[in-house]
């Protein structure tokens, strides 16, 4: 990705300021920025700060309630529902995770359904603090239709992500963060900007035929691509937990993320689970087992020229690099940030790296 870079702190402060100017209260702005920075710092650029212009429009338009009154209702021992009041999905999901951890400490497992929420970006951002609290975190969310069914030729499920985080004795949890589509929708949007081509069997045109062009993409394939029946099943599982257990809309009923209607809330659902290992074999046994498991996994012989990694390894390494060298921004995102900075009358979070134009005739002499 070519373009300017910015420090994580500068980007986070910029995101918070822009969202506050859009009408978000401090908790909403800080939660959204925290989630976006999680993605950008760990190299998941499709779900990172490039979403800021979209969130700015959604809050200004009224689709996302910038000043929500979240209401949690405990329904049973270990279970509850959070009415998000059309809040930004990050605020709602961090709050649901906090309640799930408290429920798990009492009941062993805490499960919280989230109703009336909105797009939340990187699912791993919400599973991670649950693991940091010593619990296993599981997070799912549905979204508008953009993924065809296996052998289907029309959109049905959303990208419907799944994230799982497990505590270890090491510096980082085991962290799985995946879409149930072959690639995330926001990667297609990113590749339109960067000009990269998609992998085989990951995207389709409007008639269901495969394409590798982000510009030709009308829908995504389910996880597994050419043999995507398992991915379609996982997408359905997320739909059941996120939408049906919470009473929210299924994918085909949700307004498209890109608009044009930025005034009507989309009524997404999400689901968060926290599992306390002390309710089972014990936290010390789980952590020791995870260490043993990860050691065996990383010591497993790789294919020639490859390296075996656990879920999260690539992301932790990238975060270490980006904390030092900065977070790269694609040119489209950088241009959008300049517009947001000008509208808010604040400096952009990076210096303009655009090189001075050179006269072509001079280079040919």
């Amino acid at each position: 990705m070519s373009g300017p870079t910015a420090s994580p702190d500068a980007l986070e402060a910029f995101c918070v300021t822009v969202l506050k100017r859009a009408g978000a209260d401090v908790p909403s702005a800080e939660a959204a920025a925290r989630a976006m920075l999680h993605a950008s710092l760990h190299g998941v650029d499709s779900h990172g700060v490039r979403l800021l212009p979209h969130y700015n429009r959604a809050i200004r338009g009224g689709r996302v309630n910038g000043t929500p009154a979240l209401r949690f209702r405990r329904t049973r021992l270990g279970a509850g529902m959070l009415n998000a009041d059309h809040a930004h999905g990050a605020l709602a999901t961090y709050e649901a995770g906090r309640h799930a951890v408290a429920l798990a400490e009492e009941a062993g497992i805490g499960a919280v359904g989230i109703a009336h929420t909105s797009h939340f970006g990187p699912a791993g951002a919400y599973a991670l603090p649950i693991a940091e609290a010593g619990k296993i975190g599981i997070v799912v969310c549905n979204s508008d239709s953009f993924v065809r069914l296996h052998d289907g030729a029309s959109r049905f499920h959303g990208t419907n992500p799944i994230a799982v985080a497990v505590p270890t004795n090491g510096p980082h949890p085991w962290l799985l963060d995946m879409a149930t589509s072959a690639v995330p929708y926001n990667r297609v949007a990113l590749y339109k900007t960067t000009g990269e081509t998609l992998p085989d069997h990951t995207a389709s045109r409007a008639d269901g035929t495969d394409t590798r062009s982000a510009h030709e993409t009308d829908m995504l394939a389910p996880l597994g691509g050419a043999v995507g029946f398992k991915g379609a099943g996982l997408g359905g599982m997320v739909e059941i937990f996120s939408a049906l257990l919470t009473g929210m809309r299924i994918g085909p009923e949700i307004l498209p993320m890109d608009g044009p209607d930025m005034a009507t809330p989309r009524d997404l659902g999400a689901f968060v689970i926290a599992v306390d290992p002390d309710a089972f074999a014990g936290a010390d046994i789980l952590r020791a087992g995870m260490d043993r498991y990860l050691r065996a996994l990383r010591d497993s012989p790789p294919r020639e020229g490859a390296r075996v990694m656990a879920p999260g390894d690539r992301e932790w390494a990238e975060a270490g690099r980006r904390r030092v060298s900065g977070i790269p921004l694609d040119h489209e995102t950088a241009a959008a940030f300049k517009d947001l900075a000008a509208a808010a009358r604040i400096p952009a979070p990076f210096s303009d790296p655009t090189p001075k134009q050179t006269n072509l005739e001079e280079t040919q002499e």
Side-chain angles (χ1 to χ4, degrees):
M1 185 188 304
S2 60
T5 60
S7 74
D9 288 345
L11 275 177
E12 187 164 13
F14 181 74
C15 290
V16 169
T17 300
V18 167
L19 294 176
K20 286 168 61 179
R21 298 285 175 88
D25 57 23
V26 172
S28 296
E30 290 182 347
R34 177 184 172 188
M36 286 187 283
L37 262 293
H38 168 89
S40 287
L41 189 62
H42 291 85
V44 190
D45 295 300
S46 58
H47 286 63
V49 295
R50 70 177 305 278
L51 292 170
L52 179 63
H54 170 77
Y55 292 150
N56 178 66
R57 290 193 303 273
I59 292 170
R60 288 184 181 277
R63 167 187 281 186
V64 172
N65 184 355
T67 57
L70 275 60
R71 298 185 298 278
F72 175 73
R73 177 172 58 91
R74 177 170 163 160
T75 57
R76 298 277 181 87
L77 182 67
M81 284 288 298
L82 179 73
N83 184 327
D85 192 25
H86 309 298
H88 190 286
L91 179 69
T93 315
Y94 280 128
E95 181 70 2
R98 187 178 68 82
H99 284 293
V101 167
L103 291 170
E105 288 176 349
E106 180 182 3
I109 296 177
V112 177
I114 309 174
H116 308 294
T117 187
S118 65
H119 186 264
F120 71 14
Y126 316 109
L128 180 59
I130 297 175
E132 291 172 341
K135 313 295 187 284
I136 295 175
I138 305 170
V139 178
V140 297
C141 182
N142 76 326
S143 58
D144 54 298
S145 296
F146 199 76
V147 183
R148 63 173 175 81
L149 296 171
H150 181 57
D151 286 339
S154 65
R155 301 178 180 189
F156 191 80
H157 289 137
T159 52
N160 291 12
I162 300 170
V164 182
V166 184
T168 71
N169 284 321
H172 305 297
W174 182 92
L175 179 61
L176 171 69
D177 186 350
M178 55 172 275
T180 54
S181 54
V183 293
Y185 161 74
N186 279 304
R187 187 167 302 170
V188 176
L190 178 63
Y191 282 12
K192 285 181 180 178
T193 300
T194 61
E196 296 175 75
T197 56
L198 294 160
D200 287 331
H201 309 301
T202 59
S204 302
R205 302 177 184 87
D207 62 0
T209 58
D210 284 355
T211 181
R212 295 188 65 194
S213 168
H215 293 281
E216 293 180 350
T217 296
D218 182 76
M219 68 190 88
L220 299 174
L223 181 67
V227 287
F229 54 91
K230 294 180 181 178
L234 284 173
M237 181 201 74
V238 172
E239 202 81 40
I240 291 166
F241 275 86
S242 300
L244 303 185
L245 270 179
T246 63
M248 292 294 99
R249 297 173 179 171
I250 61 172
E253 299 167 347
I254 298 172
L255 290 172
M257 180 176 174
D258 286 339
D261 184 349
M262 283 289 171
T264 305
R266 298 201 298 157
D267 281 327
L268 272 67
F271 207 84
V272 177
I273 300 171
V275 180
D276 187 347
D278 278 331
F280 301 92
D284 291 343
I285 291 175
L286 170 68
R287 289 174 183 269
M290 287 299 298
D291 293 346
R292 189 172 74 255
Y293 166 72
L294 288 172
R295 188 164 51 249
L297 185 154
R298 293 175 180 133
D299 288 345
S300 181
R303 293 185 300 166
E304 185 176 355
R307 176 189 171 197
V308 173
M309 290 186 287
D313 283 356
R314 189 188 310 275
E315 289 77 11
W316 304 129
E318 184 64 19
R321 288 189 289 269
R322 291 189 176 195
R323 284 192 178 95
V324 175
S325 62
I327 293 172
L329 303 173
D330 63 89
H331 288 298
E332 184 176 291
T333 298
F337 277 22
K338 288 182 183 178
D339 292 341
L340 290 171
R345 297 183 179 180
I346 58 174
F350 53 84
S351 58
D352 191 348
T354 305
K356 182 179 179 181
Q357 293 295 320
T358 303
N359 188 303
L360 181 61
E361 293 180 357
E362 293 178 356
T363 65
Q364 294 175 335
E365 290 180 353

